[in-house]
Every structure is written in C-alpha cells, then in structure tokens.
Amino acid sequence: MNDFSYSRPTTTTEAIQTLLSHPDALYLAGGTNVIDHLKLGVVTPSQLVDIRHLGLDKISTDAQSVTIGAGATNSAAAYHHEIQTHFPALAEAILAGASPQLRNVATTGGNLLQKTRCTYFRDIHSACNKRQPGSGCAALEGFNRSHAILGTSDACIATHPSDMAVALTALEAVIHIQDQSVVRTVPIEAFYVSYGEDPAKENVLKPGDLIVAIEIPRTAWAGHSRYVKARDRSSYEFALASAAVAVDVDAGKIRNCRIALGGVATKPWRAHAAEAALVGQSATPVAFRAAAEAELASAKAQKENGFKIELCKRVMVKALQEAAEMRRA
Amino acid sequence: MDNFEEQGKGGEGVSRRGLLGAAITGGAGAALAPLLGNRAAAAVPASSPSAPPASSAAGMTLHVNGQAHWVEIEPRVTLVDALRDHLGMYGTKKGCDHGQCGACTVLINGVRVNSCLTLAAMHTNEEITTIEGLADGDRLHPVQEAFIEHDGFQCGYCTPGQICSAVGLIHEGHTKTDDQIREGMAGNICRCGAYSNIVDAVKKAMKVS
Ligand SMILES: Cc1cc2nc3c(=O)[nH]c(=O)nc-3n(C[C@H](O)[C@H](O)[C@H](O)COP(=O)(O)OP(=O)(O)OC[C@H]3O[C@@H](n4cnc5c(N)ncnc54)[C@H](O)[C@@H]3O)c2cc1C
Ligand code: SF4
C-alpha cells in the first residue's frame, strides 16, 4: 500500500474543497472498495478524505419519495422499514450483496461507485483499459466467464458489480451530487455512462463531485418489486445475472413495469426493450419470456460467458413472475 | 474538523497538525489539513522523486476492549494490523486480507465489521471489541460457551471471527430461523467445514442471550 495522509472534514464544502485542491486524493466512505484497491495497488492516492462525518447518513421520507443519504450504510438502508415495505427490490438487492460485515460499513454512495471485479482490473500487471487507458483488455482473450454480454465494446467487457444499483435503476432513483457551488440531480440511468472508447469513465462525476443522497420516487409499481440474483454460490458472491423488476398489474394486464439487469452488463442495465414488450400484455410466462428474448437479442457472448444469455432470460422471467404474484397477493 | 485525538504524548501531534496545515493547504487554512502524515507534506525535495516517503506515523488513541491504547502508526495501517502488530493482540486473525473470509471480524461500537478493510485511524473515537474482550473475567461469553458446547470449529483459525460475527448477528436481531443464521453468518468462511456445528452454536447462543 502506498503512503497517504488521512483527513476527516466535518462539512461537505470542506471535503469538496480538499478534493479539488488535491487532485490525486480520494473520498473514503466505508472503505471496503478503496482499501481493497489500495492493497492491490489499483489506486495510489496522496490523501484519503474520510466523508463519514459529514452528516450524510440520514434516511428521510415524504409523500413523494424516500431519500437515502450517501453515507447511510447498506445495512441501514436494507433494514429501513419504509424501504422494506415500499421498495422491496431495493432491500432484497442490498441484502443479496456482500456480507453482513461489509454491509455494516459500506455506504450507499460507495456502493454506487464500486469498481468492477474483473480479475485483470484488479491485477496491476495485466493490460486493462479501465485501469490504465490504452493498455488493452486482457479479458477479451482471457478468462471472461463472469464478464458482460450487454453494452460491451472492444475496449472493455467488464460488468458493473453492484446489486443495489440495479434495483435503484429499476426504481428510477435520482442521484444528488454536490460540487463547489450547487447540488444537482441526475437520474441514475444518465449517471452511468456507456463505455465507448474510454472504459475508465464510468459516470458523470467531475473532479471533487460528492454524492450526497439518492432519492427514490414513490410509484404505483415500486411496492411490487423483486430482486432475483443467480450466482456461483448461494451467498456472499457477485451476480452472474440478476434482475430487479417492478410491475403494476391491473386485472391480469401489465399497466406499467420497470426492469433492470445486473451481472450481465457494463453498467446497471435498464431493460427498455423488455419493458416495451410487456406494457399492455397479459402477465403470463409466455409474455415474460418474450420480453426477455427481446432484451437479450442484442447480447454478445465472449468465449466463456455464453451461458449468461439463457441464465439472464430465466432470471428475468422468475423476477417478473414473482413481482406479478405480489400484485395479486 | 473533528476533535481528532492527537494529544496524549507531549502534544506532538498538535504541532504536526500546524506544520501540515502550512505545508499542504496553503491558503485553504489549517482546517483542511490532513490529520495524519502525508507523503506530499514530507520534506522530500522535488529533485529526488525516488526518495522513500518520509515516515508519517502519527499518534492516536484506540479504545480496545474497554482500554485506551496509545499507538503511533501510519494512516495506511488497517485495524487488523494495528491490533496484531502494534497492540500485540493476536486473537483477531488475518485471513484473506480482502474482506472475503471474515476471519478478522471485530465489533466496532457493537457492530461487526471486517478489520482488514478499515483503517485504524478511522476508529479513534469508537469502542473496538475483539475476541479478547468478550469474556467477563474467567466467565466466557455465551457465544464462546456455545461454540465449545457444539464443537463449532476444527482448526480454530476462523473461530474468533465467527464468534465476533455471531455476537454481532445476535445483537442485530434480524435472525430467527436456521436458514437466516446460515445467511447471517455467510460472511465467515470455515475451511474445515464446521458449518453445521456453528449453526447449532449460534442457535444455542441466541436462546441464552
Ligand atoms: C468480498 C466482497 C464481496 C462483495 N460482494 C458484493 C456483492 O455481492 N454485491 C455488491 O453489490 N457489492 C459487493 N461488494 C462490494 C461492496 O458492496 C462495496 O465494496 C461497497 O458497497 C462500497 O462502499 P464503501 O462505502 O465501502 O465505498 P468506498 O470503498 O469507501 O468507496 C468506493 C468509491 O466511491 C467513492 N465514494 C464513496 N462515497 C462517495 C460519495 N459520497 N461521493 C463521491 N464519491 C464517493 C470513493 O472515493 C471510492 O472511489 C463486495 C465487496 C467485497 C469486499
Ligand atoms: S474487461 Fe475492462 S476491466 Fe477487465 S481487463 Fe478488460 S478493460 Fe480491464
């Protein structure tokens, strides 16, 4: 681990100012991703700016939405009564990720910004465009069983690892970002950018930008939402394929739905094609399967991860079935 | 800035803070100064980029098992390393060192965490409990008793982490069924595979706690 200094600001302005005046400093929230990367040499900051003392850990609710402070722990969010009751897919997604120990310190903001688990990204001796732009992508010809089938490019095929972000994408969360002068809001779908040429650029954050909160709107479908995750072991493992689904079913017909996929794409993947295929349809397994086929039509398999295409379809169908049943219950 | 603990040894830390404030933040003022050492702040001349970073150890107080300990360590020292290498408390085990096995689990303010993925400097105002701090004198903690009664280990390396994790799990209060115990203890890997006995031990401890 390289040497670095540690600071503990108590206001957001101080924290942002410190980052702006030290471009190679990093925010430190729960630290479960940053400290891991420090040990691997993936990041070598001059300073860690501890943002756990900025009062960003509140979870508040009103008639329109629930707002989770960026510093609220994953455990606090997952066990929050309002979130469990009205946004079940979010609670399920968080609890399907990492371990209790990690969730007890990992924060909402840190979770959104966690980096890919691609082995080559984590090995500083490998070629990796995401870690070292222009160095190539070792995964294209290497071990790529866990890599993405949607949104890939010749530059990078890594998946975004977060479960929570998938649920937040289906629930159309809005990210509140503070800079030197203002707090702006960005819908989560626009927050994560497509890789294109530069896989190192994953989101719209500018230097110094601090995520302060994540707001989730109340909708007719959020309460009937499910998160289904398939992985290599039954717990404490990243997704091979996952789906967050929210549906509004009326008299057997799908009035509205939101679907997002995880473990299969380079960013939390909003399944617009599947949604379009479902609206107005009867909530039947046949319709669910057709929607899954529509979404995965553009999937591109690598040498080792072709199985994810069928796996993802089945995960989607299961999530849709479960969510539709909640509606009837 | 928080009232970060730098007192305790002749006020050395206070002058360090002042020094760093001047050296690093320039016009931004001492309020933004890093609290603990800094390679940029160390007087390494620009002409010798290969010079090793100056030692940036700084003093801080860690509250472990009800006792205050003064340590002089760098900000990069993780909590597990501070406990083992600086405080000589070897009960907490270092397994994978990447948050993947749970052997290093300790309780911070009663909440279970992986001590390998957190820095000691982050926890100066908090109460850290390790396996050494669970027993009350000669009387073992109920979770320790239950692990012995149900033979919840073989080689024992993961055990301090398992026990601290179980204490945290019971305190969290979300767990009732065997399946929930399995899921709730998923952050602790046991290579010997003593899992079924661990579940029995946790179940027993839940009853008596
Ligand atoms: C063994 C293991 C298994 C895991 N399994 C899963 C899993 O199954 N599913 C899953 O989703 N996750 C999993 N995780 C990842 C875990 O969820 C993340 O490490 C965690 O959510 C990161 O949050 P943090 O607060 O610790 O972030 P940190 O490590 O503190 O920060 C992460 C990044 O975000 C930046 N940052 C943090 N907060 C802010 C903010 N407010 N504004 C701007 N920038 C910020 C930091 O600078 C850093 O770059 C696993 C992790 C481990 C170690
Ligand atoms: S897939 Fe992306 S993260 Fe992995 S090696 Fe290639 S460029 Fe790097």
Side-chain angles (χ1 to χ4, degrees):
Chain A
M1 215 189 282
N2 71 295
D3 195 10
F4 53 81
S5 62
Y6 168 80
S7 63
R8 194 188 281 178
T10 50
T11 66
T12 52
T13 336
E14 253 183 273
I16 294 164
Q17 205 53 54
T18 310
L19 256 273
L20 287 174
S21 49
H22 300 85
D24 56 355
L26 279 176
Y27 289 131
L28 171 69
T32 60
N33 202 224
V34 174
I35 296 170
D36 196 17
H37 286 169
L38 282 166
K39 293 182 187 195
L40 297 168
V42 168
V43 293
T44 53
S46 64
Q47 183 178 158
L48 289 186
V49 180
D50 189 342
I51 54 170
R52 296 172 312 135
H53 302 270
L54 308 179
L56 295 178
D57 55 352
K58 316 254 176 328
I59 300 177
S60 58
T61 61
D62 63 25
Q64 277 78 45
S65 61
V66 167
T67 303
I68 307 172
T73 64
N74 288 177
S75 297
Y79 289 111
H80 193 277
H81 178 70
E82 192 85 5
I83 292 172
Q84 293 217 319
T85 321
H86 298 291
F87 307 91
L90 177 57
E92 290 168 7
I94 297 173
L95 293 177
S99 69
Q101 286 97 315
L102 289 161
R103 295 192 297 265
N104 280 344
V105 290
T107 63
T108 318
N111 192 319
L112 287 178
L113 297 176
Q114 61 174 301
K115 292 288 199 291
T116 183
R117 306 301 287 197
C118 171
T119 320
Y120 304 105
F121 175 82
R122 292 168 62 79
D123 169 24
I124 56 166
H125 306 292
S126 294
C128 172
N129 287 325
K130 191 187 271 297
R131 179 173 30 76
Q132 203 183 339
S135 63
C137 170
L140 285 171
E141 297 300 323
F143 296 107
N144 50 35
R145 178 176 175 275
S146 61
H147 286 69
I149 51 175
L150 291 167
T152 57
S153 75
D154 290 343
C156 180
I157 55 170
T159 55
H160 192 279
S162 170
D163 291 299
M164 187 192 77
V166 177
L168 289 175
T169 300
L171 297 171
E172 296 179 303
V174 173
I175 320 286
H176 294 227
I177 303 164
Q178 186 176 340
D179 64 17
Q180 265 163 306
S181 40
V182 290
V183 175
R184 67 185 191 280
T185 55
V186 180
I188 190 163
E189 220 190 326
F191 177 77
Y192 292 108
V193 299
S194 297
Y195 283 179
E197 290 299 295
D198 182 10
K201 173 94 184 136
E202 298 187 341
N203 54 56
V204 299
L205 291 182
K206 300 188 295 344
D209 277 358
L210 180 72
I211 298 180
V212 288
I214 289 94
E215 184 178 359
I216 316 161
R218 292 181 194 275
T219 55
W221 45 90
H224 310 104
S225 61
R226 275 276 172 265
Y227 188 70
V228 173
K229 176 177 178 180
R231 43 188 159 172
D232 280 328
R233 54 183 187 190
S234 58
S235 185
Y236 201 10
E237 185 54 274
F238 288 92
L240 288 169
S242 72
V245 156
V247 291
D248 179 10
V249 180
D250 184 41
K253 286 242 185 306
I254 298 169
R255 255 205 310 223
N256 234 317
C257 69
R258 299 288 182 273
I259 305 170
L261 306 175
V264 289
T266 50
K267 57 178 186 173
W269 190 262
R270 177 76 181 269
H272 286 292
E275 290 174 14
L278 278 174
V279 173
Q281 301 292 313
S282 298
T284 62
V286 176
F288 297 154
R289 178 74 198 189
E293 299 283 355
E295 191 62 45
L296 274 296
S298 61
K300 180 170 179 250
Q302 303 296 325
K303 200 172 52 199
E304 297 177 341
N305 67 359
F307 74 97
K308 280 194 175 188
I309 298 177
E310 178 60 23
L311 181 65
C312 183
K313 290 177 189 169
R314 294 186 190 189
V315 164
M316 258 175 92
V317 170
K318 185 168 169 18
L320 281 161
Q321 255 160 352
E322 289 185 9
E325 272 158 26
M326 287 172 89
R327 183 64 192 180
R328 281 184 219 116
Chain B
M1 288 286 167
D2 257 3
N3 182 17
F4 196 79
E5 300 194 31
E6 295 192 44
Q7 284 85 32
K9 280 230 169 144
E12 181 209 322
V14 174
S15 58
R16 171 182 290 276
R17 176 189 286 179
L19 185 80
L20 292 178
I24 296 171
T25 57
L32 297 180
L35 292 163
L36 298 171
N38 181 285
R39 72 173 176 191
V44 180
S47 57
S48 59
S50 61
S55 159
S56 46
M60 65 183 85
T61 304
L62 293 176
H63 299 268
V64 187
N65 300 329
Q67 260 195 306
H69 299 264
W70 173 259
V71 282
E72 293 195 11
I73 51 177
E74 296 174 352
R76 63 178 159 175
V77 175
T78 57
L79 182 56
V80 65
D81 287 345
L83 291 168
R84 292 178 57 88
D85 300 345
H86 297 270
L87 296 179
M89 301 173 72
Y90 303 112
T92 304
K93 298 294 184 264
K94 187 155 160 173
C96 69
D97 209 22
H98 287 276
Q100 299 174 4
C101 79
C104 67
T105 303
V106 300
L107 299 154
I108 298 182
N109 293 338
V111 175
R112 51 180 167 156
V113 311
N114 298 107
S115 61
C116 73
L117 285 189
T118 197
L119 304 172
M122 294 161 73
H123 301 291
T124 48
N125 296 324
E126 295 165 335
E127 183 53 47
I128 299 153
T129 307
T130 69
I131 189 75
E132 289 98 335
L134 290 180
D136 181 6
D138 284 342
R139 220 179 40 175
L140 291 180
H141 187 281
V143 176
Q144 290 174 309
E145 292 279 12
F147 267 69
I148 293 170
E149 187 186 331
H150 290 277
D151 211 7
F153 41 77
Q154 282 183 39
C155 83
Y157 196 79
C158 71
T159 313
Q162 299 276 3
I163 290 177
C164 285
S165 188
V167 172
L169 168 125
I170 294 167
H171 178 74
E172 286 158 16
H174 305 302
T175 305
K176 293 187 184 71
T177 65
D178 285 11
D179 274 349
Q180 286 170 341
I181 294 176
R182 287 188 194 98
E183 178 61 32
M185 292 295 291
N188 295 81
I189 310 287
C190 169
R191 290 305 309 232
C192 303
Y195 293 116
S196 57
N197 292 1
I198 292 171
V199 172
D200 290 344
V202 175
K203 205 156 53 169
K204 170 70 189 287
M206 270 165 48
K207 279 195 202 116
V208 298
S209 294

